[in-house]
Amino acid sequence: MSSIGTGYDLSVTTFSPDGRVFQIEYAAKAVDNSGTVVAIRCKDGVVMGVEKLIVSKMMLPGSNRRIHSVHRHAGMAIAGLAADGRQIVARAKGEATSYESTYGESIPVKELAERVASYVHLCTLYWWLRPFGCGVIVGGYDREGPQLYMIEPSGISYRYFGAAIGKGKQAAKTEIEKLKLSEMSCREGIIEVAKIIYKLHDEAKDKAFELELSWVCDESNLQHQKVPDELLEEAKNAATAALEEMDAD
């Protein structure tokens, strides 16, 4: 009975006999059903990319974004329920503004990730709340250099060289492990992230998608910004060419 959650998945405060909290596992499933999010920490900054599935052909390009800036030096990419993600982004913006007004400097990325993780964890502690149905990747640049953190629906956060969440996370992690991130610039990293997302997208099964890319590095003056359009097109062309070359082989 406990293995399928019957009777033990009605509240986030209920543990099953084998020590599982099914509501959190269901939230993680919502993340796994989402488009893939890939982020890498290069030698000079952080690159984040999102496979944003297009739910309708009538939708305008650029709407319902899944990459957000939470402060000048930090950004956040979302996988899972977009509405839940916006709540987390709003909280992160509030924490960043609060820290700067109190201490007179930008919030360190580690502190930002820990505060957001605490907020996500808070929603797993009370029966009248449900866990957030999204996972987030936080990337930024502070006094310690480029930083990359991933926060899961359970409220746990880890620091990474490269991270992936969403339906293609396992394959994306395998591709990231092949990269020499310590020797790679963000300009090169943008092309690699685009290649990974295009490679993982299954045109036969999945809907069409829009590629979102952002970076925070020396080229962006250490500010989190959307990747310039010409560089985005270059990355798309390189990814498409790599895909065609792989199909030809």
Side-chain angles (χ1 to χ4, degrees):
M1 183 167 112
S2 63
S3 62
I4 60 171
T6 308
Y8 295 101
D9 60 355
L10 303 177
S11 170
V12 75
T13 59
T14 303
F15 283 91
S16 71
D18 52 352
R20 294 160 66 185
V21 181
F22 285 102
Q23 289 267 322
I24 293 175
E25 292 184 21
Y26 297 160
K29 193 68 178 174
V31 177
D32 291 340
N33 290 335
S34 174
T36 307
V37 177
V38 178
I40 56 174
R41 195 184 95 183
C42 304
K43 65 181 180 182
D44 61 339
V46 172
V47 175
M48 293 188 284
V50 175
E51 172 201 20
K52 187 180 76 176
L53 299 176
I54 297 174
V55 295
S56 169
K57 292 180 181 178
M58 302 294 286
M59 196 167 75
L60 287 172
S63 60
N64 205 18
R65 291 188 59 82
R66 285 185 172 264
I67 297 181
H68 303 265
S69 291
V70 295
H71 205 254
R72 290 184 298 275
H73 70 301
M76 190 175 277
I78 301 161
L81 303 180
D84 284 16
R86 284 199 299 271
Q87 287 294 320
I88 295 176
V89 169
R91 177 69 178 217
K93 287 180 178 179
E95 292 289 357
T97 304
S98 172
Y99 187 97
E100 187 172 46
S101 64
T102 303
Y103 299 105
E105 63 178 14
S106 296
I107 185 171
V109 181
K110 180 183 178 183
E111 180 71 18
L112 177 64
E114 286 180 351
R115 290 190 181 195
V116 173
S118 295
Y119 175 60
V120 173
H121 178 241
L122 190 72
C123 292
T124 69
L125 299 178
Y126 302 102
W127 64 267
W128 64 86
L129 298 171
R130 67 161 175 80
F132 283 107
C134 64
V136 297
I137 293 178
V138 181
Y141 206 114
D142 57 22
R143 284 178 295 184
E144 295 186 17
Q147 309 284 326
L148 183 65
Y149 289 84
M150 186 172 79
I151 302 168
E152 298 176 1
S154 61
I156 194 167
S157 73
Y158 292 107
R159 186 178 173 187
Y160 287 91
F161 288 109
I165 46 178
K167 63 173 63 177
K169 67 177 181 182
Q170 291 300 337
K173 287 176 184 176
T174 303
E175 294 297 322
I176 291 171
E177 287 169 3
K178 298 176 184 176
L179 303 176
K180 296 181 179 178
L181 297 175
S182 59
E183 302 171 10
M184 186 180 293
S185 69
C186 279
R187 187 169 277 268
E188 296 166 332
I190 283 170
I191 293 173
E192 293 301 329
V193 167
K195 284 180 180 178
I196 290 171
I197 291 175
Y198 269 80
K199 183 178 180 181
L200 298 180
H201 181 75
D202 189 342
E203 291 186 2
K205 294 180 183 177
D206 296 333
K207 300 171 184 173
F209 79 98
E210 181 184 340
L211 178 66
E212 288 187 23
L213 289 170
S214 75
W215 63 356
V216 50
C217 59
D218 296 335
E219 281 197 62
S220 68
N221 297 319
L222 305 185
Q223 294 191 3
H224 180 259
Q225 295 176 351
K226 179 184 172 185
V227 168
D229 290 339
E230 63 273 13
L231 195 53
L232 179 62
E233 286 303 317
E234 183 185 332
K236 286 181 180 178
N237 293 335
T240 306
L243 204 58
E244 290 172 354
E245 188 178 321
M246 190 171 65
D247 290 341
D249 293 340

